[in-house]
Amino acid sequence: MLQTFGLLLGCQLLGEVTVRGAGLPIPGPVLGLAVLVLLLSLMPTLTEQLRPTTTVILANLSFLFVPAGVGVIGNLQVFSDDGLVLLFILTVSTVLSMLAAVGTFIGVRYVIAGRTT
Amino acid sequence: MTDVAELWSYLSTTPLIWLTTTTLAYLVADGVARRLGQPPWANPVLLSVLLIAPVLWLSNTDYPTYFEGAQFIHFLLGPATVALAVPLWENRETIRTSVAPIVLALLAGSFVAAGSAILLAHAFSLPVEVLLSLAPKSTTAPVALGISEAVGGLPALTAVLVILTGIIGAVTVTPLMNLLRITDWRARGFAVGVAAHGIGTARAFQVNPVAGAYAGIAMALNALLTSLIVPVLVRWLV
């Protein structure tokens, strides 16, 4: 577990350092994710060692968003004037985005499957 | 009475009390959600916030004080993002065969997320800085705040909008996909990852591991794409 945690932190650190150094427009942890994928492709046996810890972390991903969620309550005054309109826009826009993504995903798969059969 | 006051003045200066409160609130929220069979509306983030908010209000605690304790949990978002590499790697075979759907669904979801937010904000004639704060709402918080600042939005407002978007996506994805009779976990997961970043991804992992892996890919790729397209969309549409 500690080895896994150390490796995750190491990848994140490498990601952060690279992002800062090169001025990339992505967060350090996302680059750290790419670093770990690269590492797993070089050492596939590592997957088995990492899995127990990463499964627990990802199963409780919601927990890690609670502090930021509480921040919404503390910041509700920025929301005050247009609160309901903003909630409406967020809901419509989020649903539209999911529809666009899921429709495209299924549609493209369908077209590809049709071409190969 | 002075003992209680003394104890409180001691506790309120250590991170322990808010770290414990956050953990207990989540355990209760997650326990309730599990007991109910994890229905979409019983979102663990939302339930935890609803449990913690009255405690902060009653104890007259401001957010910076709360965050001194809660930051240890918040910090783990970094290593958790890196941990998404494991399901991504384990699903590499199916991912390799769905590169085209992934790339095109990413473009569609990302453009619609930012574009529809901008157009709707226009339609309701919201102030420009509110519109600019809305545009990056579907991407992960650190990226969204950076974009918001770069295009002239209000990062504090963007932070609120990003979290709300995540909760809205996590709550609506299951009924929406069931209504459309979409049974492909890859497509379902990918859609919620594009539209509702990490909180959507957390919901996807709750429902199905393959959906979780695809949500993680979508979230990571969208972090990159949104930072490229929002400045362009803003120039076109604003």
Side-chain angles (χ1 to χ4, degrees), chain B residues 10-55:
Chain B
Y10 164 71
L11 276 180
S12 59
T13 59
T14 73
L16 179 65
I17 187 151
W18 300 117
L19 188 57
T20 312
T21 306
T22 307
T23 309
L24 290 178
Y26 175 76
L27 287 174
V28 170
D30 191 52
V32 168
R34 272 173 209 280
R35 183 71 55 90
L36 295 169
Q38 296 184 328
W41 54 266
N43 181 268
V45 182
L46 184 61
L47 291 182
S48 303
V49 172
L50 294 178
L51 287 171
I52 295 167
V55 179

Short mmCIF file of all heavy atoms in Angstrom, two decimals, chain B residues 10-55:
data_model
loop_
_atom_site.label_atom_id
_atom_site.label_comp_id
_atom_site.label_asym_id
_atom_site.label_seq_id
_atom_site.Cartn_x
_atom_site.Cartn_y
_atom_site.Cartn_z
N TYR B 10 -9.41 24.75 21.97
CA TYR B 10 -8.25 23.93 21.58
C TYR B 10 -8.54 23.18 20.28
O TYR B 10 -7.79 23.26 19.31
CB TYR B 10 -7.88 22.94 22.69
CG TYR B 10 -6.97 21.85 22.22
CD1 TYR B 10 -5.63 22.11 21.90
CD2 TYR B 10 -7.45 20.54 22.04
CE1 TYR B 10 -4.80 21.10 21.42
CE2 TYR B 10 -6.63 19.54 21.56
CZ TYR B 10 -5.31 19.82 21.25
OH TYR B 10 -4.49 18.84 20.77
N LEU B 11 -9.67 22.46 20.27
CA LEU B 11 -10.02 21.63 19.10
C LEU B 11 -10.14 22.45 17.82
O LEU B 11 -9.70 22.04 16.75
CB LEU B 11 -11.34 20.90 19.35
CG LEU B 11 -11.25 19.59 20.14
CD1 LEU B 11 -12.63 19.01 20.30
CD2 LEU B 11 -10.32 18.60 19.46
N SER B 12 -10.75 23.64 17.97
CA SER B 12 -11.02 24.43 16.76
C SER B 12 -9.73 24.96 16.13
O SER B 12 -9.75 25.45 15.01
CB SER B 12 -11.98 25.58 17.07
OG SER B 12 -11.41 26.40 18.06
N THR B 13 -8.60 24.87 16.84
CA THR B 13 -7.35 25.33 16.23
C THR B 13 -6.57 24.17 15.62
O THR B 13 -5.52 24.37 15.02
CB THR B 13 -6.44 26.03 17.27
OG1 THR B 13 -6.16 25.09 18.32
CG2 THR B 13 -7.08 27.27 17.83
N THR B 14 -7.04 22.94 15.77
CA THR B 14 -6.32 21.81 15.15
C THR B 14 -7.10 21.32 13.92
O THR B 14 -8.32 21.48 13.85
CB THR B 14 -6.18 20.63 16.13
OG1 THR B 14 -7.46 20.00 16.25
CG2 THR B 14 -5.68 21.06 17.48
N PRO B 15 -6.38 20.72 12.97
CA PRO B 15 -7.07 20.21 11.77
C PRO B 15 -7.94 18.99 12.09
O PRO B 15 -8.83 18.65 11.33
CB PRO B 15 -5.94 19.81 10.83
CG PRO B 15 -4.67 20.18 11.49
CD PRO B 15 -4.94 20.53 12.90
N LEU B 16 -7.68 18.36 13.26
CA LEU B 16 -8.30 17.06 13.57
C LEU B 16 -9.82 17.08 13.48
O LEU B 16 -10.43 16.20 12.89
CB LEU B 16 -7.86 16.61 14.96
CG LEU B 16 -8.44 15.27 15.43
CD1 LEU B 16 -7.96 14.13 14.55
CD2 LEU B 16 -8.06 15.02 16.88
N ILE B 17 -10.44 18.13 14.06
CA ILE B 17 -11.89 18.10 14.17
C ILE B 17 -12.60 18.12 12.82
O ILE B 17 -13.55 17.38 12.59
CB ILE B 17 -12.40 19.23 15.11
CG1 ILE B 17 -13.90 19.04 15.34
CG2 ILE B 17 -12.10 20.61 14.61
CD1 ILE B 17 -14.37 19.57 16.65
N TRP B 18 -12.06 18.91 11.87
CA TRP B 18 -12.74 19.00 10.56
C TRP B 18 -12.38 17.83 9.65
O TRP B 18 -13.17 17.43 8.80
CB TRP B 18 -12.50 20.36 9.91
CG TRP B 18 -13.03 21.43 10.81
CD1 TRP B 18 -12.33 22.42 11.43
CD2 TRP B 18 -14.38 21.54 11.29
NE1 TRP B 18 -13.16 23.15 12.25
CE2 TRP B 18 -14.41 22.63 12.18
CE3 TRP B 18 -15.56 20.83 11.06
CZ2 TRP B 18 -15.58 23.03 12.83
CZ3 TRP B 18 -16.73 21.22 11.71
CH2 TRP B 18 -16.72 22.31 12.58
N LEU B 19 -11.20 17.29 9.89
CA LEU B 19 -10.82 16.05 9.18
C LEU B 19 -11.75 14.92 9.61
O LEU B 19 -12.28 14.17 8.78
CB LEU B 19 -9.36 15.72 9.51
CG LEU B 19 -8.68 14.59 8.76
CD1 LEU B 19 -8.73 14.84 7.26
CD2 LEU B 19 -7.22 14.46 9.21
N THR B 20 -11.97 14.83 10.92
CA THR B 20 -12.86 13.79 11.46
C THR B 20 -14.30 14.01 11.00
O THR B 20 -14.97 13.06 10.56
CB THR B 20 -12.80 13.79 13.00
OG1 THR B 20 -11.44 13.83 13.40
CG2 THR B 20 -13.47 12.56 13.57
N THR B 21 -14.76 15.26 11.10
CA THR B 21 -16.14 15.56 10.69
C THR B 21 -16.38 15.16 9.23
O THR B 21 -17.41 14.56 8.91
CB THR B 21 -16.42 17.08 10.85
OG1 THR B 21 -16.09 17.45 12.19
CG2 THR B 21 -17.87 17.41 10.57
N THR B 22 -15.43 15.52 8.37
CA THR B 22 -15.58 15.23 6.94
C THR B 22 -15.64 13.72 6.70
O THR B 22 -16.49 13.22 5.95
CB THR B 22 -14.42 15.85 6.14
OG1 THR B 22 -14.34 17.23 6.48
CG2 THR B 22 -14.63 15.70 4.64
N THR B 23 -14.74 12.99 7.40
CA THR B 23 -14.69 11.54 7.22
C THR B 23 -15.99 10.89 7.72
O THR B 23 -16.58 10.06 7.03
CB THR B 23 -13.48 10.95 7.98
OG1 THR B 23 -12.32 11.68 7.60
CG2 THR B 23 -13.28 9.48 7.65
N LEU B 24 -16.43 11.30 8.90
CA LEU B 24 -17.66 10.72 9.46
C LEU B 24 -18.87 11.06 8.58
O LEU B 24 -19.71 10.19 8.32
CB LEU B 24 -17.90 11.22 10.89
CG LEU B 24 -16.92 10.69 11.95
CD1 LEU B 24 -17.23 11.30 13.31
CD2 LEU B 24 -16.95 9.16 12.02
N ALA B 25 -18.94 12.30 8.12
CA ALA B 25 -20.07 12.71 7.27
C ALA B 25 -20.11 11.85 6.01
O ALA B 25 -21.17 11.38 5.59
CB ALA B 25 -19.95 14.19 6.91
N TYR B 26 -18.94 11.62 5.43
CA TYR B 26 -18.90 10.79 4.21
C TYR B 26 -19.32 9.36 4.51
O TYR B 26 -20.06 8.74 3.73
CB TYR B 26 -17.52 10.83 3.55
CG TYR B 26 -17.44 9.90 2.37
CD1 TYR B 26 -18.03 10.25 1.15
CD2 TYR B 26 -16.82 8.66 2.46
CE1 TYR B 26 -17.99 9.40 0.06
CE2 TYR B 26 -16.78 7.79 1.38
CZ TYR B 26 -17.36 8.17 0.18
OH TYR B 26 -17.33 7.31 -0.88
N LEU B 27 -18.83 8.81 5.63
CA LEU B 27 -19.19 7.43 5.99
C LEU B 27 -20.70 7.29 6.16
O LEU B 27 -21.29 6.32 5.70
CB LEU B 27 -18.45 6.99 7.26
CG LEU B 27 -16.95 6.72 7.08
CD1 LEU B 27 -16.29 6.44 8.42
CD2 LEU B 27 -16.71 5.58 6.11
N VAL B 28 -21.31 8.29 6.81
CA VAL B 28 -22.77 8.27 6.98
C VAL B 28 -23.45 8.39 5.60
O VAL B 28 -24.33 7.59 5.25
CB VAL B 28 -23.24 9.42 7.91
CG1 VAL B 28 -24.76 9.55 7.89
CG2 VAL B 28 -22.74 9.19 9.33
N ALA B 29 -23.00 9.37 4.79
CA ALA B 29 -23.60 9.61 3.47
C ALA B 29 -23.48 8.37 2.58
O ALA B 29 -24.44 7.93 1.95
CB ALA B 29 -22.94 10.81 2.79
N ASP B 30 -22.27 7.79 2.57
CA ASP B 30 -22.03 6.62 1.73
C ASP B 30 -22.83 5.42 2.24
O ASP B 30 -23.37 4.64 1.45
CB ASP B 30 -20.53 6.31 1.70
CG ASP B 30 -20.18 5.28 0.64
OD1 ASP B 30 -20.59 5.48 -0.52
OD2 ASP B 30 -19.51 4.28 0.98
N GLY B 31 -22.91 5.30 3.57
CA GLY B 31 -23.68 4.21 4.17
C GLY B 31 -25.15 4.31 3.80
O GLY B 31 -25.78 3.32 3.41
N VAL B 32 -25.70 5.52 3.88
CA VAL B 32 -27.10 5.75 3.51
C VAL B 32 -27.32 5.42 2.03
O VAL B 32 -28.25 4.71 1.66
CB VAL B 32 -27.52 7.21 3.82
CG1 VAL B 32 -28.87 7.54 3.19
CG2 VAL B 32 -27.56 7.44 5.33
N ALA B 33 -26.39 5.92 1.18
CA ALA B 33 -26.52 5.68 -0.27
C ALA B 33 -26.49 4.18 -0.57
O ALA B 33 -27.28 3.69 -1.37
CB ALA B 33 -25.41 6.41 -1.02
N ARG B 34 -25.57 3.46 0.08
CA ARG B 34 -25.47 2.00 -0.14
C ARG B 34 -26.72 1.29 0.32
O ARG B 34 -27.23 0.40 -0.35
CB ARG B 34 -24.27 1.43 0.62
CG ARG B 34 -23.00 1.49 -0.18
CD ARG B 34 -21.79 1.08 0.66
NE ARG B 34 -20.62 1.75 0.18
CZ ARG B 34 -19.92 1.36 -0.88
NH1 ARG B 34 -20.29 0.29 -1.55
NH2 ARG B 34 -18.87 2.04 -1.29
N ARG B 35 -27.22 1.69 1.51
CA ARG B 35 -28.41 1.07 2.08
C ARG B 35 -29.59 1.23 1.12
O ARG B 35 -30.43 0.35 0.98
CB ARG B 35 -28.72 1.74 3.44
CG ARG B 35 -29.88 1.20 4.22
CD ARG B 35 -29.64 -0.18 4.80
NE ARG B 35 -28.45 -0.31 5.63
CZ ARG B 35 -28.42 -0.10 6.95
NH1 ARG B 35 -29.51 0.25 7.58
NH2 ARG B 35 -27.31 -0.28 7.63
N LEU B 36 -29.63 2.38 0.43
CA LEU B 36 -30.74 2.65 -0.49
C LEU B 36 -30.50 2.04 -1.87
O LEU B 36 -31.31 2.20 -2.78
CB LEU B 36 -30.92 4.17 -0.64
CG LEU B 36 -31.36 4.92 0.62
CD1 LEU B 36 -31.25 6.42 0.41
CD2 LEU B 36 -32.78 4.55 1.00
N GLY B 37 -29.34 1.37 -2.04
CA GLY B 37 -29.04 0.77 -3.33
C GLY B 37 -28.40 1.77 -4.30
O GLY B 37 -28.52 1.63 -5.51
N GLN B 38 -27.71 2.77 -3.77
CA GLN B 38 -27.02 3.80 -4.54
C GLN B 38 -27.88 4.42 -5.65
O GLN B 38 -27.48 4.42 -6.82
CB GLN B 38 -25.71 3.23 -5.09
CG GLN B 38 -24.78 2.85 -3.96
CD GLN B 38 -23.43 2.37 -4.44
OE1 GLN B 38 -23.32 1.77 -5.49
NE2 GLN B 38 -22.40 2.62 -3.67
N PRO B 39 -29.06 4.95 -5.29
CA PRO B 39 -29.85 5.64 -6.31
C PRO B 39 -29.12 6.92 -6.72
O PRO B 39 -28.37 7.48 -5.91
CB PRO B 39 -31.15 5.96 -5.59
CG PRO B 39 -30.79 6.03 -4.15
CD PRO B 39 -29.66 5.06 -3.96
N PRO B 40 -29.31 7.38 -7.98
CA PRO B 40 -28.55 8.54 -8.46
C PRO B 40 -28.73 9.79 -7.61
O PRO B 40 -27.79 10.56 -7.44
CB PRO B 40 -29.09 8.76 -9.87
CG PRO B 40 -30.14 7.76 -10.11
CD PRO B 40 -30.13 6.76 -9.00
N TRP B 41 -29.93 9.99 -7.06
CA TRP B 41 -30.16 11.25 -6.31
C TRP B 41 -29.44 11.25 -4.97
O TRP B 41 -29.16 12.31 -4.41
CB TRP B 41 -31.66 11.49 -6.11
CG TRP B 41 -32.39 10.34 -5.47
CD1 TRP B 41 -33.04 9.34 -6.12
CD2 TRP B 41 -32.49 10.05 -4.07
NE1 TRP B 41 -33.54 8.44 -5.21
CE2 TRP B 41 -33.23 8.85 -3.95
CE3 TRP B 41 -32.04 10.68 -2.91
CZ2 TRP B 41 -33.51 8.27 -2.72
CZ3 TRP B 41 -32.33 10.11 -1.69
CH2 TRP B 41 -33.05 8.91 -1.60
N ALA B 42 -29.12 10.05 -4.41
CA ALA B 42 -28.40 10.00 -3.13
C ALA B 42 -26.91 10.10 -3.39
O ALA B 42 -26.15 9.19 -3.11
CB ALA B 42 -28.75 8.72 -2.38
N ASN B 43 -26.49 11.23 -3.98
CA ASN B 43 -25.08 11.42 -4.32
C ASN B 43 -24.26 11.64 -3.05
O ASN B 43 -24.57 12.53 -2.25
CB ASN B 43 -24.95 12.63 -5.25
CG ASN B 43 -23.53 12.86 -5.67
OD1 ASN B 43 -22.81 13.62 -5.04
ND2 ASN B 43 -23.11 12.19 -6.71
N PRO B 44 -23.20 10.82 -2.83
CA PRO B 44 -22.45 10.91 -1.57
C PRO B 44 -21.80 12.28 -1.33
O PRO B 44 -21.71 12.72 -0.18
CB PRO B 44 -21.37 9.84 -1.71
CG PRO B 44 -21.82 8.94 -2.81
CD PRO B 44 -22.71 9.74 -3.69
N VAL B 45 -21.38 12.97 -2.42
CA VAL B 45 -20.77 14.30 -2.24
C VAL B 45 -21.84 15.27 -1.72
O VAL B 45 -21.64 15.97 -0.72
CB VAL B 45 -20.18 14.84 -3.56
CG1 VAL B 45 -19.52 16.19 -3.34
CG2 VAL B 45 -19.18 13.85 -4.15
N LEU B 46 -23.00 15.25 -2.41
CA LEU B 46 -24.08 16.15 -2.04
C LEU B 46 -24.57 15.88 -0.61
O LEU B 46 -24.71 16.80 0.20
CB LEU B 46 -25.23 15.96 -3.04
CG LEU B 46 -26.44 16.88 -2.89
CD1 LEU B 46 -26.03 18.33 -3.08
CD2 LEU B 46 -27.51 16.51 -3.92
N LEU B 47 -24.78 14.59 -0.27
CA LEU B 47 -25.25 14.24 1.07
C LEU B 47 -24.24 14.67 2.13
O LEU B 47 -24.61 15.21 3.18
CB LEU B 47 -25.51 12.73 1.19
CG LEU B 47 -26.68 12.15 0.39
CD1 LEU B 47 -26.82 10.66 0.66
CD2 LEU B 47 -27.97 12.87 0.75
N SER B 48 -22.94 14.44 1.87
CA SER B 48 -21.91 14.83 2.85
C SER B 48 -21.92 16.33 3.09
O SER B 48 -21.83 16.79 4.23
CB SER B 48 -20.52 14.42 2.35
OG SER B 48 -20.46 13.05 2.10
N VAL B 49 -22.04 17.10 1.99
CA VAL B 49 -22.06 18.56 2.11
C VAL B 49 -23.26 19.00 2.94
O VAL B 49 -23.15 19.86 3.81
CB VAL B 49 -22.09 19.23 0.71
CG1 VAL B 49 -22.32 20.73 0.83
CG2 VAL B 49 -20.79 18.95 -0.03
N LEU B 50 -24.41 18.36 2.71
CA LEU B 50 -25.62 18.72 3.45
C LEU B 50 -25.50 18.38 4.93
O LEU B 50 -26.13 19.01 5.78
CB LEU B 50 -26.85 18.03 2.84
CG LEU B 50 -27.22 18.48 1.42
CD1 LEU B 50 -28.42 17.70 0.90
CD2 LEU B 50 -27.49 19.98 1.38
N LEU B 51 -24.68 17.36 5.26
CA LEU B 51 -24.45 17.03 6.67
C LEU B 51 -23.47 17.99 7.33
O LEU B 51 -23.62 18.36 8.49
CB LEU B 51 -23.89 15.59 6.79
CG LEU B 51 -24.87 14.44 6.55
CD1 LEU B 51 -24.12 13.12 6.48
CD2 LEU B 51 -25.91 14.40 7.66
N ILE B 52 -22.43 18.40 6.57
CA ILE B 52 -21.37 19.22 7.15
C ILE B 52 -21.79 20.69 7.28
O ILE B 52 -21.48 21.35 8.27
CB ILE B 52 -20.07 19.10 6.32
CG1 ILE B 52 -19.55 17.65 6.40
CG2 ILE B 52 -19.00 20.07 6.80
CD1 ILE B 52 -18.48 17.32 5.38
N ALA B 53 -22.53 21.19 6.27
CA ALA B 53 -22.88 22.61 6.25
C ALA B 53 -23.55 23.09 7.55
O ALA B 53 -23.13 24.11 8.11
CB ALA B 53 -23.76 22.92 5.04
N PRO B 54 -24.58 22.38 8.08
CA PRO B 54 -25.19 22.85 9.33
C PRO B 54 -24.23 22.83 10.52
O PRO B 54 -24.32 23.70 11.40
CB PRO B 54 -26.36 21.89 9.58
CG PRO B 54 -26.31 20.86 8.53
CD PRO B 54 -25.30 21.23 7.50
N VAL B 55 -23.29 21.87 10.53
CA VAL B 55 -22.31 21.81 11.62
C VAL B 55 -21.42 23.05 11.60
O VAL B 55 -21.16 23.69 12.63
CB VAL B 55 -21.43 20.53 11.51
CG1 VAL B 55 -20.39 20.49 12.63
CG2 VAL B 55 -22.29 19.27 11.53
#
